[in-house]
Amino acid sequence: GIYVQGEYRLSDALTLSAGLRYDEISYDVDDRFLTNGDDSGVLDFDQISPSIGVNYRLNEGVLFASYSNSFETPTTTELANPDASGGFNTALEPQLADNFEIGFKNSVGNLYYEIALFTIDLEDELIPFELAAFPGRNFFSNAGSSTRDGIETALSWAHESGFSVDASFTWSDFEFDSFIDDNGNDFGGNKLPGLPEQFGYLGFTYAAGSGFSATFETIYAGDLYANNANSVEVSGYTVANLRLNHEFESGQWLIRPYIGINNLFDEDYNNNIRINAFGARYFEPAPPLNFYAGVVINFQESR
């Protein structure tokens, strides 16, 4: 890959930036397991990706907007051939994206906040599916096109006492614009599977001058669909976690024991969904309330 990027300051408040990148990716697999070399193959991808952005400073805040183009190639695992003939799935293409974003971020005293609106137009999106002949193994195909619109917000506040709050919330509207699969099923207008419409985080941290710190966090994920047809809906969940640690020095040693509790209120939920799984095997339940503990020890050289 090679890229060039630059920045031009029009004034103390206004800055323009731009970039251009060229990538060339080659997969070359030499199969030495099968004597006929059925899984050997060579596959090449290349792409030019431009970007442009603008920042405008308003007192302590910054208004920003950007456009970028990107591409994502399939991995070697994703390139597995679903027809069992071996070699690469040469019909699989990289997914291409046009990304647009506009937002504002600002700091007021101990408070920082940010809000951004985004839209992403994707072509040939990589979508996983399973086959009856290979249950539990993901293969991939390209969706025709999809659109991802959303709003991202973030807020941080810290007090001199050592208490701080971090929060974020994302609302998303992700759907297929056009997608007809190999079986002729038309999923145009459906929601993208595996992605919740709403996602939120709220964390409270206390860090004492003595080296003790504690963090309590809650994570919210909204409802989502498990398949392209949107016929299987997965319920959202809220889960809480707690972490405690204490850092102290002993001679030249820095010691930090820690303990944590995940799923503090023993919520029943799925922490992974197998998208488009064969035989309706979509759900991978999360562990119930569980604990972990450990210690980090660092040696500090004297100066």
Side-chain angles (χ1 to χ4, degrees):
I2 186 171
Y3 72 92
V4 59
Q5 62 184 29
E7 184 177 282
Y8 183 69
R9 189 178 299 276
L10 293 172
S11 67
D12 290 341
L14 183 61
T15 303
L16 299 178
S17 60
L20 190 66
R21 180 182 178 97
Y22 173 75
D23 289 280
E24 184 173 305
I25 298 174
S26 178
Y27 294 105
D28 187 348
V29 173
D30 184 8
D31 173 21
R32 300 180 183 179
F33 179 70
L34 300 176
T35 56
N36 59 2
D38 277 353
D39 283 336
S40 297
V42 177
L43 203 57
D44 297 315
F45 301 107
D46 63 90
Q47 182 71 21
I48 295 175
S49 305
S51 64
I52 188 170
V54 58
N55 285 351
Y56 184 74
R57 182 170 294 279
L58 295 169
N59 297 322
E60 298 300 319
V62 175
L63 179 66
F64 58 90
S66 66
Y67 160 79
S68 63
N69 175 267
S70 62
F71 86 120
E72 180 181 340
T73 64
T75 66
T76 50
T77 301
E78 293 170 350
L79 282 165
N81 210 331
D83 64 8
S85 63
F88 289 127
N89 179 6
T90 56
L92 200 61
E93 297 288 340
Q95 68 177 26
L96 306 176
D98 289 309
N99 313 280
F100 301 88
E101 182 182 39
I102 184 170
F104 181 73
K105 53 187 176 182
N106 192 22
S107 295
V108 181
N110 294 333
L111 177 68
Y112 169 84
Y113 63 91
E114 179 176 344
I115 182 170
L117 288 74
F118 66 87
T119 182
I120 305 173
D121 294 323
L122 285 97
E123 297 288 337
D124 295 326
E125 181 159 358
L126 295 166
I127 300 294
F129 66 94
E130 291 186 5
L131 296 173
F134 303 99
R137 181 175 184 180
N138 282 336
F139 296 94
F140 286 78
S141 64
N142 293 114
S145 62
S146 65
T147 300
R148 305 185 180 203
D149 300 322
I151 301 174
E152 296 179 331
T153 62
L155 182 147
S156 297
W157 177 80
H159 190 263
E160 58 187 13
S161 64
F163 182 75
S164 62
V165 179
D166 292 286
S168 63
F169 180 79
T170 300
W171 173 84
S172 308
D173 182 17
F174 298 171
E175 66 177 38
F176 295 117
D177 295 327
S178 62
F179 177 27
I180 300 177
D181 69 7
D182 294 338
N183 297 317
N185 299 306
D186 188 352
F187 301 121
N190 286 6
K191 300 292 185 182
L192 268 68
L195 299 168
E197 186 175 90
Q198 302 176 59
F199 186 86
Y201 173 87
L202 178 62
F204 301 93
T205 298
Y206 175 71
S210 62
F212 170 80
S213 66
T215 298
F216 173 79
E217 63 180 15
T218 57
I219 299 169
Y220 167 73
D223 299 345
L224 55 86
Y225 292 105
N227 57 357
N228 294 337
N230 290 179
S231 60
V232 178
E233 187 171 354
V234 182
S235 298
Y237 62 87
T238 302
V239 64
N241 305 311
L242 177 66
R243 299 189 301 273
L244 306 171
N245 67 75
H246 186 267
E247 187 174 276
F248 61 92
E249 294 185 6
S250 178
Q252 292 180 258
W253 296 94
L254 183 66
I255 303 172
R256 182 170 62 87
Y258 60 87
I259 186 171
I261 307 174
N262 288 331
N263 198 357
L264 187 61
F265 301 114
D266 206 20
E267 174 81 2
D268 291 330
Y269 70 101
N270 296 288
N271 67 343
N272 187 50
I273 299 299
R274 297 190 62 85
I275 300 172
N276 298 316
F278 172 76
R281 298 164 54 255
Y282 305 107
F283 309 101
E284 294 186 357
L289 182 148
N290 59 94
F291 302 85
Y292 63 92
V295 59
V296 177
I297 302 175
N298 292 324
F299 179 75
Q300 305 175 102
E301 293 185 5
S302 57
R303 299 185 180 183

